[in-house]
Amino acid sequence: AGHQIAVKDDGMGSAALLVDGEVLHENGVIYLDEAPQTVGGVTVLTGVAGSGGNACGAAPFVLAFPEGAAPALFGPVDSCREFTIQLQPDALVFATEPLPSEPGEVWVWNPTTGLTEASPEEFSADSGAGWEAVPTLKGAHPVDAMKLAPVLQALQTGLGADYPDFAERISDLGSGDLTAEGYLGQACLKYTCETDWAVLYLHAASRRVFAAWAVSGEAKPHVWPEDTGDWPVEALAALNGETGE
């Protein structure tokens, strides 16, 4: 676009975005995507910027070069989540993955309105995925297991008012895999993993869902269904592994 664009890192945890020698943005880290795009007739460069470190991810921004006008910076968006970017003919769409704990964020940039937040995308199950889809959960995070329609419905109905606490924990740092009799997924809140955890177990043959979760400061974990005498051996083993019993 005939402009000089540079990111200068001072080596001290601070970076600056310069266009034609002028500082347009300063932050801990700034990364520019290599290739410019054309959106609605305007040339743009996208990138991400943030404080650096593990606490918060770098968030997207748009650097626009309108004909006959000064380059303009839009963003970075106010978020710590990881975004994907989708190029449309007249807009750029930035979106995060919808989770059981929180909807996906959606931000849209176009030459007319700039960068604006759009309606969030709620987490939802795949209506076509039922119990027959359990074998597809090899190596899957428990969030993926909750995309099975009967699993999500069972948890939302069964846990009732406790569902948000479970959802928050099961959506965070975790992993899962197929077992001999179904699927087991475990997750926890990143900074309080020992005391804020969740377990999700799917028993394929009986088509039943089992859940357990712990909340910091509470005396004992929650289990659902409450009668653990009825729990499959694999589910009980996972529960006992978390509680140390």
Side-chain angles (χ1 to χ4, degrees), residues 103-115:
E105 292 179 42
V106 183
W107 292 76
V108 178
W109 184 88
N110 67 45
T112 310
T113 56
L115 188 62

Side-chain angles (χ1 to χ4, degrees), residues 47-191:
V48 295
S51 58
N54 296 328
C56 188
F61 63 82
V62 178
L63 183 56
F65 300 92
E67 281 294 329
L73 182 77
F74 299 86
V77 305
D78 183 16
S79 176
C80 283
R81 296 173 68 184
E82 189 175 324
F83 284 81
T84 59
I85 178 170
Q86 182 188 5
L87 176 64
Q88 297 179 351
D90 297 313
L92 288 166
V93 179
F94 302 93
T96 67
E97 181 188 1
L99 297 170
S101 56
E102 58 183 332
E105 292 179 42
V106 183
W107 292 76
V108 178
W109 184 88
N110 67 45
T112 310
T113 56
L115 188 62
T116 54
E117 191 167 9
S119 297
E121 184 185 348
E122 295 293 335
F123 179 82
S124 61
D126 177 352
S127 58
W131 281 99
E132 72 289 340
V134 168
T136 68
L137 297 176
K138 182 175 175 59
H141 188 282
V143 165
D144 294 319
M146 291 174 67
K147 291 177 184 172
L148 273 56
V151 174
L152 184 61
Q153 184 178 1
L155 289 166
Q156 289 176 330
T157 305
L159 303 189
D162 286 328
Y163 175 77
D165 282 344
F166 174 79
E168 182 186 7
R169 285 151 184 77
I170 207 72
S171 297
D172 212 328
L173 195 66
S175 60
D177 209 345
L178 298 177
T179 64
E181 296 185 0
Y183 166 86
L184 174 65
Q186 295 165 287
C188 63
L189 298 186
K190 187 160 43 173
Y191 299 112

Side-chain angles (χ1 to χ4, degrees), residues 1-6 18-21 43 45 63-72:
H3 294 279
Q4 294 291 318
I5 304 155
L18 290 86
V19 178
D20 301 332
T43 301
L45 264 176
L63 183 56
F65 300 92
E67 281 294 329

Side-chain angles (χ1 to χ4, degrees), residues 6-18 25 27-31:
V7 174
K8 292 200 172 171
D9 190 328
D10 68 358
M12 309 281 286
S14 185
L17 173 64
L18 290 86
H25 185 65
N27 219 317
V29 292
I30 300 173
Y31 302 106

